[in-house]
């Protein structure tokens, strides 16, 4: 008989251990994550925060992590060009020898997902963002917006889609400065990406997807435009599309298998649409807990598969949305805890004017 | 966990760059992880060696044949490293390389890493440079044969079709996929994309598409993908969800005893639409009372997982009760 996941407890201590391990030294097989180390750090740090365990990192550790993140910030070059500014995701192009080369700024560039997750980590760790060159980051963001309103991730060659619309929106919101975005154009892109089933694809004509739907809805939420962009019929259709993704846990698209990460992507979308009340929390918990590794810690995509940091974090944040005891509550659009969001608000209070 | 890290060590023919005579002139540049590295990776010796030399060529901005080979080793070790891909493109341009060869290489990489963003982006850049998308339908078809819902493959395919106007045989391709798997939501989406971009939703197209999708719904009445497609098509018709031919179809299905949640929820939404926008053709299935009953059936029997949602929809219906 399969175990009754309804009574399985959250293996809190194991998850803390698992996430702390990811902050340290990873084995060689993890080299495929080498370009996105900051996002792994985010999953671990924000995961610890959701577990109400951020203080298991002592002050010096927190400071060291902040220093490391700042070491990845790309500052304006000699000519004042900010198109490479933002945060890099790893140290691949960090070496004293490389610093003085003019052409390096074509390659050592900020990346929107890394800038967003770096800022999130700094906020969670209690940093005051004083060392962020806000103006430069905004100019970097601005340079990545495409004609159609979407964003690409980096100057150094990248696709453009809804993921980076979301990252850009988070960065603007966190830095309390929307000068890096033509908001109307961005909204136009989001509207055009709404599909015939009222979910959102990564771009116009593309299939609706739980991840891109989250990105679209959260971006509008951060802009304060969610409720005036769509008519009531569209909003009702969107709510319907999202709630239909629950099977036990959540799937990302119709007729696909349920996967731990969509408990957050779709759960959070429903929360922003004020529809979390329609979700069956028990069924979701049963599924998510079936993907928990109670021995090593962490959550996996599916049952009987190996946990990874992304699914661990999104599993936890999804459970938090749905009222799991002992977890801090989540700001659904920023995907950080409400505790961290309060800290961000207190930082904002110290900024009299936007950076621009 | 330990087992897989030895894979690279098994490559007995591998010579480190530091041991290659033809690279003796280039100074490798080690990565600086700082005093307190975070999410550090215990790179294999091979990984470290390749990327030390990558930083080396980047430092002196060497755009050469050997640097091109080096970037190949680097992306094979980490296909997600977008900087290496970007540098590789720089070299390809600078050396004015035969891009057909590169197309073959990236096709191999796509086969090996079908869900990696960078390999597909590289492909798109190459196709744009060549201004030739003649292989793209075949490549994406091959990838979709392995995973019919691979989002990257569909995205690339749509881009190629739109950019190079390759709509001609697309409906046939979709037809084949839907015959293989009637629940393939990506294929339904592609069908909508093609219609939307070619014939658009002229009245006769709407009729044809409705007939098509109803024939598919008959085969699998619980298939959300086909119902969603139907809903998408009737959006373009003046009577919307209340379109009489569709309601007649639902009526027949319902009266045959079918209680698919998709059918019931279609009827509920059609009833709601009728309450808001008026009657197109009388049918007792679209009364508010009936819709409330259907919500109840859904909440308690046919879609229990979503009980909360159906109770919410009941509330929306009750607004129209007087």
């Amino acid at each position: 008989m399969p175990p009754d996941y309804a009574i399985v407890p959250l293996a809190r201590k194991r998850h803390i251990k698992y996430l702390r391990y990811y902050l340290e030294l990873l084995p060689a097989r993890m080299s495929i994550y080498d370009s996105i180390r900051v996002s792994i750090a985010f999953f671990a740090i924000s995961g610890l925060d959701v577990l109400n365990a951020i203080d298991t990192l002592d002050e010096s550790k927190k400071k060291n992590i902040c220093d490391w993140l700042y070491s990845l910030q790309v500052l304006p070059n000699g000519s004042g060009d900010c198109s490479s500014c933002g945060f890099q995701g790893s140290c691949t192009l960090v070496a004293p020898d490389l610093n003085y080369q003019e052409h390096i700024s074509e390659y050592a560039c900020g990346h929107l997902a890394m800038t967003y997750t770096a800022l999130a980590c700094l906020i969670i760790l209690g940093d005051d963002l004083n060392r962020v060159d806000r103006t430069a980051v905004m100019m970097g963001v601005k340079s990545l917006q495409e004609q159609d309103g979407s964003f690409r991730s980096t100057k150094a060659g990248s696709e453009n889609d809804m993921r980076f619309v979301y990252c850009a929106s988070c960065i603007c919101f966190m830095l309390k400065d929307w000068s890096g975005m033509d908001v109307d154009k961005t909204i136009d892109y989001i509207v055009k990406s709404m599909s015939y089933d009222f979910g959102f694809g990564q771009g116009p004509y593309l299939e609706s997807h739980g991840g891109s739907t989250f990105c679209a809805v959260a971006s509008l939420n951060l802009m304060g435009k969610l409720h005036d962009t769509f008519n009531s019929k569209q909003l009702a259709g969107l709510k319907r599309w999202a709630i239909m993704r629950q099977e036990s846990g959540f799937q990302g698209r119709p007729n696909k298998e349920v996967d731990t990460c969509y408990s957050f992507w779709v759960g959070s979308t429903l929360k922003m649409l004020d529809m979390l009340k329609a979700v069956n929390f028990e069924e979701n918990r049963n599924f998510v807990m079936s993907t928990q590794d109670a021995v090593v810690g962490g959550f996996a995509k599916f049952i009987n598969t190996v946990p990874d940091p992304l699914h661990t974090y999104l599993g936890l944040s999804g459970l938090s949305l749905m009222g799991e005891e002992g977890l801090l509550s989540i700001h659904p659009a920023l995907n950080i805890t409400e505790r961290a969001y309060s800290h961000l608000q207190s930082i904002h209070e110290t900024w009299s004017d936007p950076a621009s | 966990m330990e087992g897989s890290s030895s894979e690279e060590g098994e490559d007995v023919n591998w010579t480190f760059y530091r041991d290659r005579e033809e690279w003796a002139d280039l100074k490798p540049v080690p990565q600086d992880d700082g005093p307190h590295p975070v999410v550090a990776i215990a790179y294999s010796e091979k990984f470290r060696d390749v990327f030390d030399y990558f930083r080396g060529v980047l430092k002196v901005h060497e755009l050469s044949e050997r640097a091109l080979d080096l970037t190949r080793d680097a992306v094979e070790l980490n296909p997600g490293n977008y900087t290496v891909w970007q540098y590789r493109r720089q070299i390809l341009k600078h050396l004015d390389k035969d891009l057909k060869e590169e197309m073959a290489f990236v096709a191999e990489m796509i086969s090996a890493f079908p869900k990696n963003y960078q390999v597909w982006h590289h492909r798109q850049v190459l196709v744009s440079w060549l201004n030739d998308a003649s292989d793209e339908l075949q490549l994406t078809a091959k990838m979709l044969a392995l995973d019919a819902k691979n989002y990257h493959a569909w995205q690339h395919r749509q881009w190629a079709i739109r950019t190079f106007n390759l709509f001609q045989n697309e409906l046939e391709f979709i037809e084949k996929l839907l015959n293989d798997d009637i629940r393939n939501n990506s294929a339904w989406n592609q069908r909508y994309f093609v219609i939307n971009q070619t014939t658009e939703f002229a009245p006769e197209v709407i009729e044809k598409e409705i007939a098509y999708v109803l024939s598919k719904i008959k085969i699998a009445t619980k298939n959300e993908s086909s119902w969603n497609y139907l809903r998408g098509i009737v959006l373009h018709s003046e009577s919307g969800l209340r379109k009489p031919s569709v309601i007649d179809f639902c009526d027949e299905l319902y009266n045959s005893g079918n209680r698919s949640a998709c059918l019931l929820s279609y009827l509920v939404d059609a009833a709601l639409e009728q309450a808001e926008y008026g009657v197109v053709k009388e049918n007792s299935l679209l009364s508010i009372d009936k819709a409330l009953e259907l919500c109840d059936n859904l909440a308690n029997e046919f879609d229990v997982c979503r009980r909360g949602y159906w109770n919410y929809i009941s509330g929306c219906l009750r607004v129209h009760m007087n």
Side-chain angles (χ1 to χ4, degrees):
Chain A
M1 239 183 78
D4 181 359
Y5 294 109
I7 55 162
V8 167
L10 184 75
R12 183 170 178 273
K13 281 190 179 152
R14 293 290 171 182
H15 297 315
I16 292 171
K17 204 174 158 194
Y18 177 85
L19 292 170
R20 290 209 50 167
Y21 156 84
Y22 269 90
L23 274 178
E24 305 298 333
L25 185 68
L26 310 187
R29 70 180 170 88
M30 301 285 182
S31 297
I32 48 163
Y33 293 140
D34 190 44
S35 306
I36 53 165
R37 283 165 57 191
V38 169
S39 63
I40 307 288
F42 167 73
F43 296 138
I45 291 166
S46 201
L48 288 173
D49 199 21
V50 173
L51 287 159
N52 197 11
I54 197 68
D55 290 332
T56 62
L57 303 172
D58 61 35
E59 287 309 311
S60 72
K61 178 81 185 168
K62 287 182 188 171
K63 184 185 172 296
N64 289 341
I65 298 172
C66 292
D67 289 346
W68 178 74
L69 291 165
Y70 279 119
S71 77
L72 297 172
Q73 183 176 202
V74 178
L75 296 167
N77 66 16
S79 65
D81 177 12
C82 292
S83 62
S84 301
C85 293
F87 286 74
Q88 299 180 79
S90 75
C91 311
T92 309
L93 298 184
V94 178
D97 267 13
L98 291 177
N99 283 347
Y100 308 102
Q101 309 290 322
E102 189 63 26
H103 67 269
I104 293 296
S105 69
E106 293 302 312
Y107 304 100
C109 302
H111 181 293
L112 290 182
M114 301 306 134
T115 304
Y116 154 55
T117 48
L119 291 173
C121 287
L122 289 168
I123 293 162
I124 296 164
L125 292 169
D127 184 76
D128 56 12
L129 303 185
N130 264 348
R131 283 182 277 170
V132 177
D133 186 334
R134 282 143 58 196
T135 309
V137 170
M138 267 310 123
M139 289 170 80
V141 169
K142 193 179 179 124
S143 69
L144 295 172
Q145 187 161 26
E146 298 284 319
Q147 271 308 314
D148 64 3
S150 69
F151 283 81
R152 61 185 200 279
S153 64
T154 172
K155 183 182 172 187
S158 139
E159 66 284 357
N160 53 297
D161 58 41
M162 199 64 81
R163 292 171 302 153
F164 305 123
V165 166
Y166 169 67
C167 294
S169 300
C170 285
I171 296 165
C172 292
F173 185 92
M174 286 169 163
L175 298 185
K176 208 183 166 188
D177 178 0
W178 290 81
S179 65
M181 177 186 286
D182 182 331
V183 172
D184 290 341
K185 252 189 187 177
T186 311
I187 292 176
D188 188 52
Y189 181 80
I190 295 172
V191 168
K192 285 187 172 137
S193 302
M194 184 180 247
S195 169
Y196 62 87
D197 58 12
F198 299 105
F200 294 89
Q202 283 294 350
Y205 318 116
L206 293 167
E207 184 183 7
S208 296
H209 185 281
S212 38
T213 299
F214 166 80
C215 289
V217 171
S219 299
L220 290 170
N221 178 295
L222 293 169
M223 293 170 196
K225 298 281 188 187
L226 180 55
H227 293 281
D228 19 295
T229 300
F230 299 108
N231 62 35
S232 60
K233 202 170 172 173
Q234 288 171 315
L235 282 174
L238 172 58
K239 288 174 183 175
R240 180 177 184 283
W241 184 87
I243 196 73
M244 289 298 159
R245 303 286 58 77
Q246 183 165 27
E247 294 263 293
S248 54
F250 286 80
Q251 61 190 181
R253 296 181 254 169
N255 290 320
K256 289 269 288 182
E257 55 281 68
V258 292
D259 171 335
T260 302
C261 68
Y262 296 111
S263 291
F264 177 77
W265 299 131
V266 182
S268 174
T269 299
L270 286 162
K271 174 148 189 188
M272 290 184 275
L273 295 166
D274 194 25
M275 282 299 284
L276 202 59
K277 54 187 180 242
V279 170
N280 188 324
F281 291 3
E282 272 172 65
E283 291 261 4
N284 177 69
R285 188 180 193 279
N286 287 353
F287 169 73
V288 172
M289 293 311 284
S290 77
T291 70
Q292 172 177 260
D293 186 330
V295 178
V296 176
F299 289 86
K301 196 179 171 69
F302 308 128
I303 192 167
N304 294 330
T305 49
V306 181
D308 63 70
L310 179 140
H311 288 87
T312 300
Y313 176 59
L314 295 171
L316 287 169
S317 49
L319 286 172
S320 155
L321 278 176
M322 297 174 205
E324 181 76 21
E325 216 176 301
L327 298 181
L328 295 191
S329 58
I330 285 275
H331 185 287
L334 289 174
N335 195 5
I336 58 176
T337 63
E338 291 285 358
R339 184 201 65 78
Y341 173 59
S342 302
H343 176 58
L344 174 63
Q345 284 177 306
S346 70
I347 297 172
H348 283 176
E349 278 163 25
T350 67
W351 296 344
S352 43
D353 290 312
S356 59
Chain B
M1 193 184 285
E2 280 72 25
S4 55
S5 60
S6 63
E7 269 169 29
E8 291 162 8
E10 286 161 16
D11 188 355
V12 286
N13 296 321
W14 179 259
T15 310
F16 290 109
Y17 277 82
R18 61 172 186 251
D19 298 330
R20 297 183 192 189
E21 218 169 286
E22 69 276 22
W23 281 90
D25 61 303
L26 193 109
K27 190 170 164 258
V29 176
Q31 173 168 305
D32 179 11
D33 245 327
H36 304 286
V38 179
V39 194
I41 298 173
Y43 304 116
S44 67
E45 247 190 297
K46 177 178 175 180
F47 191 99
R48 197 179 287 279
D49 178 64
V50 166
F51 279 89
D52 286 353
Y53 277 81
F54 174 67
R55 277 179 287 272
V57 295
L58 198 61
K59 184 187 168 196
V60 296
H61 212 207
E62 178 179 317
L63 303 168
S64 62
E65 279 294 340
R66 69 174 188 174
L68 187 66
D69 292 343
L70 173 69
T71 59
R72 183 177 174 132
D73 286 330
V75 290
E76 281 173 353
L77 287 166
N78 179 15
N81 191 318
Y82 48 90
T83 314
V84 178
W85 283 110
Q86 179 75 349
Y87 195 66
R88 185 172 175 85
R89 286 189 287 272
Q90 202 76 32
I91 301 172
L92 289 168
K93 273 221 147 154
H94 184 78
L95 298 182
D96 197 17
K97 291 293 287 183
D98 175 6
L99 295 178
K100 284 284 170 196
E101 245 175 71
E102 187 67 3
M103 288 285 274
F105 168 60
V106 74
E108 267 173 51
M109 289 297 281
I110 285 172
S111 290
F113 305 97
K115 292 196 174 178
N116 172 289
Y117 284 95
Q118 285 71 34
V119 293
W120 286 101
H121 176 65
H122 190 62
R123 181 82 186 182
Q124 186 175 327
V125 174
L126 293 178
V127 172
S128 301
W129 283 358
L130 285 163
N131 194 27
D132 174 4
S134 53
D135 293 335
E136 301 322 286
L137 295 184
Q138 206 190 353
L139 172 80
T140 49
K142 183 183 141 202
M143 297 316 295
L144 292 171
L146 300 169
D147 172 2
K149 298 175 183 179
N150 180 335
Y151 207 92
H152 302 266
W154 282 111
Q155 197 163 359
H156 185 75
R157 190 173 178 93
Q158 281 199 1
W159 170 79
I161 289 175
R162 248 182 324 121
T163 312
F164 296 89
N165 192 19
L166 305 173
F167 288 96
Q168 208 180 358
N169 301 316
E170 192 61 4
L171 281 181
E172 277 169 45
F173 175 72
I174 298 161
E175 186 83 49
K176 203 174 130 283
L177 287 184
L178 286 177
N179 285 338
D180 291 346
D181 176 12
I182 202 169
R183 291 177 182 78
N184 183 344
N185 197 63
S186 310
W188 283 105
N189 181 75
Q190 186 77 347
R191 186 171 182 96
Y192 190 91
F193 160 70
V194 172
I195 304 285
N196 193 24
Q197 297 286 298
T198 53
T199 58
E200 300 184 319
F201 298 96
E204 65 277 12
V205 177
I206 294 176
E207 294 305 325
K208 198 171 137 249
E209 287 309 297
I210 288 176
Y212 177 80
V213 68
L214 291 183
S215 77
K216 298 292 183 194
I217 288 175
K218 267 188 204 161
I219 302 169
T221 60
K222 292 181 178 172
N223 178 10
E224 186 188 346
S225 299
S226 49
W227 282 97
N228 280 350
Y229 186 78
L230 172 66
R231 286 165 174 263
I233 297 299
V234 298
L235 269 181
H236 297 278
S237 126
E238 251 173 62
S239 43
L241 296 169
R242 297 154 295 161
K243 191 165 176 60
S245 60
V246 176
I247 297 300
D248 289 347
F249 170 87
C250 292
D251 195 333
E252 199 182 315
L253 196 57
Y254 186 81
N255 285 319
S256 73
N258 190 294
R259 293 294 180 271
S260 139
C262 295
L263 167 65
L264 305 193
S265 74
Y266 185 96
L267 288 168
V268 169
D269 285 342
L272 205 49
E273 195 179 271
Q274 176 167 294
E276 283 171 29
Y277 301 98
V279 178
V280 175
K281 186 185 163 199
E282 276 302 339
N283 189 311
S284 59
L285 271 178
L286 301 189
S287 73
I288 294 289
D289 283 343
K290 184 67 190 176
L292 284 168
E293 181 197 319
L294 294 178
C295 281
D296 224 43
N297 296 157
L298 283 160
N300 297 311
E301 197 172 351
F302 304 112
D303 198 24
V304 184
C305 176
R306 253 174 292 279
R307 176 175 293 167
Y309 177 69
W310 295 117
N311 291 338
Y312 160 81
I313 293 291
S314 293
C316 300
L317 284 162
R318 284 203 185 86
V319 173
H320 299 283
M321 283 269 286
N322 33 0

